[in-house]
Amino acid sequence: MTKLKVYLAVLLVAAIFTVSGTDPTWAKKSDVVIVLDAGHGGYDSGAVGNGLYEKILTLKIAQYCKAELEQYDGVKVYMTRSNDTFVSLDQRVASAAGVRADAFVSLHINSAASSAAGGAEVFYPNSSYRPALSMQGRKLANAIQGNLVSLGLRNRGLKTLNSMIGSKYPDGSIADYYAVIRGAKNAGFPGIIVEHAFISNAADAKTFLGSSAALKRLGVADAKGIAACYGLKKTGTDTNKLPKTKLNALYGKTSGSVSIGWEKVKEASGYEIFRSDAKNGGYQKVAAVKKAKTVKYTDKSVESGRTYYYKVRPYKIVNGSRITAGFSAAQKVKLLKKPDISVSGSAASATKVRWKKVEGALRYEIYRSASKKGRYQKIATVQNGTFYKDVNKKSNRTYYYKIRAVSNGVRGNTYSSYGMQ
Ligand SMILES: [Zn+2]
């Protein structure tokens, strides 16, 4: 959902709330504000069992949940604690009110005297006071519980729990039992308590709490539930957002190498280069360029004299997985064979340089040097011939020659390797 749409939705909700006399604090900003409350902390360990401490597990789940949730658009995530410190229940709710929370999600691990008790359950606000917050809380609880159950946790259901000592809300109705749910309702937003699994159950502890990977699954399940409840969408998951590129250079650098260039695509994290012997099929990936700013590649796995087709597609990594754009249009390059060269003539007379015609060549460049491994200079370009007579030379001096075939590539000439004397 775009921010504008979220904003309009918030205005609509606000209007309904105002009409029905319910709390109007929802009409406050465009981002959905989620406060994650890692239960316990500091001297308050929470439940302990099977070698695990609730306060440590809840913090990790909250951190994984936050990391996942922040990949969505239109959400702002806060935590009531981000390290192992004690924070009172009143402070937790007060800090959520301070950031104008849309929901307060308290993360806990269950425990029971019976080691047989296991599974997940979520507490949401009762319907006695501000019933709209009870409905919102139930919807959020249901979305999270569904995801936890799909991980394999036993389904203990959605629950409300009323005060056992007769505490009342301002309208005289029975208060919720849990302080954070009660406090959130008084402050005007729904608060829920997610009891993920039982620390006192050996199987729950091992399967759902006993590793970072397991805790991450819980945090991600919570985040996906929250995202589903609020209609959040992940950034950049639309593959149509990654446009195609265009080849803007393709030519043979030598008889055995091809230079490929393409237009930069802003959103790309890299590019994949494909090659085939035929225009309309059989393309295979020859390379992946893993730098967003690199827009050229030299393919050295090609053979002299052959024709190749190339195409390129951008890719990007979104949430750990690769999304690719469509392919560029294909372009063709024909590699030129190295010319066979022969040189004749005496030191005193003109030198005759001959070579065999190279298929696909449009012209030939002739180079000369006074020493075999010295600096060669281009002395002539011959169109469509196989012969060059070098008259412009000093007598009684030995020269060395090399030539290469040339044709037109895309934004650059295609060259063969040098045929050497
Ligand atoms: Zn707890």
Side-chain angles (χ1 to χ4, degrees):
M1 204 188 289
T2 64
K3 284 185 178 173
L4 178 63
K5 281 183 188 162
V6 171
Y7 179 70
L8 291 174
V10 166
L11 283 182
L12 179 63
V13 168
I16 293 165
F17 282 17
T18 305
V19 168
S20 64
T22 317
D23 195 293
T25 54
W26 270 50
K28 51 204 171 196
K29 70 276 135 172
S30 56
D31 276 351
V32 173
V33 176
I34 302 296
V35 173
L36 299 177
D37 176 47
H40 312 280
Y43 66 78
D44 172 14
S45 296
V48 180
N50 288 296
L52 302 169
Y53 291 82
E54 182 182 359
K55 66 171 185 176
I56 295 170
L57 305 181
T58 58
L59 181 57
K60 286 188 175 170
I61 293 168
Q63 286 163 337
Y64 286 125
C65 181
K66 181 172 188 280
E68 173 71 16
L69 201 50
E70 285 179 338
Q71 292 173 28
Y72 290 80
D73 281 332
V75 63
K76 184 81 184 126
V77 186
Y78 294 94
M79 308 223 316
T80 54
R81 70 175 175 98
S82 52
N83 52 36
D84 185 17
T85 51
F86 177 80
V87 182
S88 75
L89 299 178
D90 285 349
Q91 278 178 283
R92 292 166 192 256
V93 173
S95 70
V99 297
R100 312 182 122 204
D102 288 307
F104 180 93
V105 182
S106 193
L107 308 174
H108 287 260
I109 310 298
N110 224 331
S111 184
S114 164
S115 62
E121 63 193 19
V122 183
F123 289 89
Y124 66 97
N126 72 21
S127 57
S128 70
Y129 171 59
R130 293 182 167 170
L133 297 184
S134 175
M135 284 168 57
Q136 290 163 26
R138 190 177 202 288
K139 185 183 167 201
L140 180 57
N142 188 50
I144 291 174
Q145 176 73 356
N147 284 346
L148 293 175
V149 168
S150 69
L151 293 179
L153 280 153
R154 204 183 304 166
N155 188 358
R156 297 171 63 89
L158 308 181
K159 300 178 175 179
T160 59
L161 191 61
N162 291 335
S163 168
M164 296 172 196
I165 56 167
S167 296
K168 299 288 198 295
Y169 279 119
D171 68 350
S173 64
I174 185 72
D176 282 284
Y177 170 78
Y178 287 111
V180 291
I181 293 180
R182 195 170 62 240
K185 193 190 267 183
N186 279 324
F189 47 87
I192 65 170
I193 295 177
V194 183
E195 296 281 3
H196 290 85
F198 278 70
I199 207 166
S200 47
N201 177 305
D204 269 13
K206 180 166 183 279
T207 309
F208 300 106
L209 306 172
S211 68
S212 292
L215 296 171
K216 185 176 182 180
R217 281 192 286 275
L218 296 178
V220 169
D222 293 343
K224 287 185 170 169
I226 294 165
C229 182
Y230 287 92
L232 303 174
K233 295 274 183 286
K234 271 191 179 176
T235 307
T237 45
D238 182 358
T239 55
N240 296 326
K241 283 185 182 168
L242 189 59
K244 294 178 185 178
T245 184
K246 266 185 200 165
L247 289 182
N248 58 16
L250 184 65
Y251 50 86
K253 291 173 86 173
T254 68
S255 296
S257 63
V258 172
S259 182
I260 306 117
W262 56 88
E263 289 177 1
K264 184 176 167 65
V265 168
K266 204 175 62 183
E267 302 90 333
S269 26
Y271 301 88
E272 295 174 339
I273 296 117
F274 285 75
R275 187 185 74 205
S276 175
D277 293 333
K279 185 170 186 182
N280 293 321
Y283 284 89
Q284 300 217 319
K285 187 160 83 177
V286 292
V289 170
K290 290 175 182 147
K291 284 182 183 159
K293 61 183 176 184
T294 302
V295 290
K296 61 181 182 179
Y297 178 75
T298 300
D299 182 8
K300 292 178 178 169
S301 60
V302 289
E303 289 174 31
S304 170
R306 287 179 61 179
T307 297
Y308 296 101
Y309 296 83
Y310 284 89
K311 53 191 189 181
V312 173
R313 67 180 180 190
Y315 72 86
K316 65 177 174 182
I317 305 296
V318 178
N319 306 322
S321 57
R322 177 177 290 222
I323 288 170
T324 53
F327 285 108
S328 68
Q331 296 265 20
K332 171 183 168 180
V333 61
K334 176 173 173 56
L335 293 180
L336 300 173
K337 285 185 176 166
K338 182 171 73 177
D340 284 334
I341 174 173
S342 64
V343 176
S344 62
S346 68
S349 65
T351 305
K352 291 160 188 158
V353 183
R354 289 185 171 81
W355 58 92
K356 283 185 187 157
K357 183 176 165 58
V358 171
E359 191 193 325
L362 297 175
R363 56 195 180 272
Y364 302 87
E365 293 175 349
I366 293 97
Y367 293 78
R368 189 182 71 185
S369 172
S371 65
K372 187 154 193 171
K373 289 185 175 170
R375 204 155 64 89
Y376 284 80
Q377 290 193 312
K378 186 160 81 176
I379 56 168
T381 299
V382 174
Q383 315 279 343
N384 286 322
T386 56
F387 173 76
Y388 178 71
K389 188 173 176 182
D390 185 12
V391 294
N392 185 21
K393 54 176 232 175
K394 292 174 183 164
S395 57
N396 297 316
R397 190 146 178 200
T398 302
Y399 288 100
Y400 297 85
Y401 296 86
K402 63 181 188 181
I403 75 166
R404 62 178 176 177
V406 189
S407 67
N408 299 331
V410 178
R411 206 208 261 176
N413 290 328
T414 285
Y415 292 106
S416 72
S417 299
Y418 288 101
M420 311 272 295
Q421 172 187 357

